[in-house]
Amino acid sequence: MPTQLTPMPLTQQSQDQQLLDKLKPSRIILPVLIGIGVVGFMFWRSYHPGDLAPLREAKFQWLLITLAVLVARDLGYIYRIREISERVLSWRQSLDVIMIWEFASCVLPSAAGGTSVAPFILNKEGITLGKSLAYVMVTALLDNIYYVIAVPLVVLWAGEGLFPDELKGAFAASLRVAFVVSYVSVTLYAGAMIYALFISPTAMKRFLVRLFSFRLLRRWRPNAYKHGKEMMLASAQLRGNKAGYWIRTALATAFVWTARYLIIGCIIAAFIPINFGEFWVIFSRNMIYKVVLLVAITPGGAGIAEGAFPIFFGRFIGTPTMTNFVILFYRIVTYYLYLVLGAVFLPRWVARVFRRSATV
């Protein structure tokens, strides 16, 4: 197997073009067609007159709570990125960064998400690339630590209810294995990031280069070398931050992810009576649902998110038609809304940051 050469560094113009290509507003067409197509097909298969009768009993207070949770989540993200950037970003810049970041997560495959372009987004806001990489790594580290802490808690709370009874046979076993593997992988990765960022980034870089020197892994050696250098840069930027910095950013992370996982339960409660125990089982199942979305190859998990939703949450809702309505409502407020907001914010953001770059 031939050894790949380390790619030449991209020029600033190439990076800018690469960013713009990934975030073209036209990219919203494919995920919308996939998502709406899947939901439309599910409605076509399931609809019977009277299935949507529960909509007449919708609880207005739960709809308000859903709206409040959505707004609070976004405000939490805006606050967090401002704190992570050591308040270099203004509130306006933080809003733009989060909207573009969310848009990127919606139009790129879930495995890549907005994180793949986040350093360039921050860099265009005037933050050096080294610091941009450091701040993105902080968000990834804090997100992973939240997951590592939250999973044991939801397992203790939900018990056997964590996995849907509808899952049978080999698929159920595979999902359980995938969940365990995902948890172990995230735990190991979080531990490796802590070691690399705060203990010995040089040792981690050497380990990565040696690990990817084996024949089967050699093709990824340039990426491993690049990742090791990024960790060294990030470590130099982050060391010395005081305890207050980590407390504020950790609390903000816990807040935004908890709000994110609450949304499905709030939407279901707005249309279907559920008790406290069911509400928290729904919250817990989000952890498994997330694993499914992480392996989705479609932009923003379009089609996969809609198709998997009934398996995890359908029994709390009732009829398939009502479940499909909840799916559509959920995707509107957590996915399609950000496609629209991204299409609105992106041109204004591009005009602002590229005009500023041209004047520097």
Side-chain angles (χ1 to χ4, degrees):
M1 182 180 294
T3 303
Q4 293 185 354
L5 297 176
T6 303
M8 295 295 291
L10 293 173
T11 65
Q12 183 63 51
Q13 186 176 6
S14 299
Q15 291 175 351
D16 292 347
Q17 190 57 52
Q18 187 180 69
L19 174 63
L20 292 176
D21 288 343
K22 287 183 176 181
L23 299 181
K24 287 188 293 189
S26 60
R27 284 180 174 265
I28 71 175
I29 297 173
L30 178 61
V32 168
L33 290 177
I34 294 173
I36 295 297
V38 169
V39 172
F41 177 73
M42 292 164 69
F43 264 115
W44 176 75
R45 289 187 60 187
S46 68
Y47 181 73
H48 295 92
D51 281 351
L52 296 177
L55 295 181
R56 292 195 294 266
E57 307 297 327
K59 300 173 184 66
F60 186 68
Q61 64 271 29
W62 272 107
L63 292 173
L64 287 179
I65 291 171
T66 301
L67 176 61
V69 171
L70 286 166
V71 173
R73 186 196 71 166
D74 287 345
L75 291 176
Y77 274 126
I78 292 166
Y79 171 81
R80 183 175 77 151
I81 195 62
R82 188 167 186 267
E83 290 297 322
I84 286 176
S85 71
E86 300 170 275
R87 302 182 184 177
V88 170
L89 295 175
S90 67
W91 290 107
R92 161 67 189 281
Q93 288 176 304
S94 299
L95 171 63
D96 285 351
V97 166
I98 292 303
M99 289 297 106
I100 306 305
W101 197 328
E102 287 288 321
F103 179 73
S105 298
C106 291
V107 298
L108 297 175
S110 297
T115 305
S116 61
V117 297
F120 295 120
I121 296 172
L122 292 173
N123 183 234
K124 297 309 295 182
E125 290 290 355
I127 298 174
T128 63
L129 189 56
K131 284 190 174 182
S132 297
L133 290 167
Y135 297 151
V136 172
M137 285 188 181
V138 169
T139 64
L141 175 61
L142 292 174
D143 290 346
N144 288 339
I145 289 175
Y146 175 87
Y147 186 74
V148 169
I149 294 172
V151 164
L153 296 178
V154 301
V155 169
L156 287 173
W157 173 264
E160 286 300 316
L162 187 62
F163 290 89
D165 294 334
E166 293 80 2
L167 293 176
K168 305 292 183 182
F171 182 74
S174 299
L175 184 60
R176 289 174 183 267
V177 170
F179 180 60
V180 172
V181 170
S182 171
Y183 180 75
V184 172
S185 300
V186 170
T187 302
L188 292 175
Y189 185 65
M193 287 187 73
I194 291 172
Y195 180 82
L197 292 175
F198 305 112
I199 300 175
S200 180
T202 303
M204 178 56 69
K205 177 189 169 186
R206 289 172 181 165
F207 170 76
L208 289 174
V209 172
R210 288 174 182 170
L211 176 65
F212 285 88
S213 295
F214 290 104
R215 181 180 296 274
L216 293 176
L217 302 176
R218 197 175 296 165
R219 61 181 298 184
W220 294 289
R221 185 179 178 184
N223 287 335
Y225 177 79
K226 179 174 177 286
H227 195 52
K229 288 194 68 174
E230 288 173 352
M231 284 192 170
M232 292 181 66
L233 283 171
S235 177
Q237 298 293 340
L238 296 173
R239 288 189 178 192
N241 284 340
K242 296 181 179 179
Y245 173 87
W246 296 106
I247 292 171
R248 291 191 300 273
T249 54
L251 290 176
T253 299
F255 178 84
V256 297
W257 276 104
T258 301
R260 197 178 190 107
Y261 288 146
L262 284 172
I263 290 170
I264 292 178
C266 292
I267 293 173
I268 294 175
F271 302 105
I272 305 295
I274 56 174
N275 59 42
F276 180 81
E278 290 173 327
F279 186 90
W280 288 108
V281 170
I282 292 169
F283 178 91
S284 302
R285 284 193 180 182
N286 270 278
M287 301 289 177
I288 315 295
Y289 188 52
K290 177 189 174 185
V291 173
V292 174
L293 297 186
L294 281 177
V295 299
I297 60 173
T298 55
I304 308 298
E306 291 84 357
F309 190 98
I311 297 174
F312 290 93
F313 309 108
R315 81 170 182 88
F316 302 101
I317 303 170
T319 66
T321 302
M322 195 63 204
T323 300
N324 294 336
F325 172 82
V326 173
I327 295 169
L328 181 60
F329 189 91
Y330 167 66
R331 290 294 276 176
I332 286 172
V333 299
T334 63
Y335 184 68
Y336 300 122
L337 173 63
Y338 292 95
L339 287 176
V340 173
L341 289 174
V344 172
F345 273 81
L346 183 62
R348 295 164 54 190
W349 178 79
V350 167
R352 177 171 63 82
V353 300
F354 280 85
R355 182 172 61 246
R356 183 178 62 198
S357 298
T359 59
V360 174

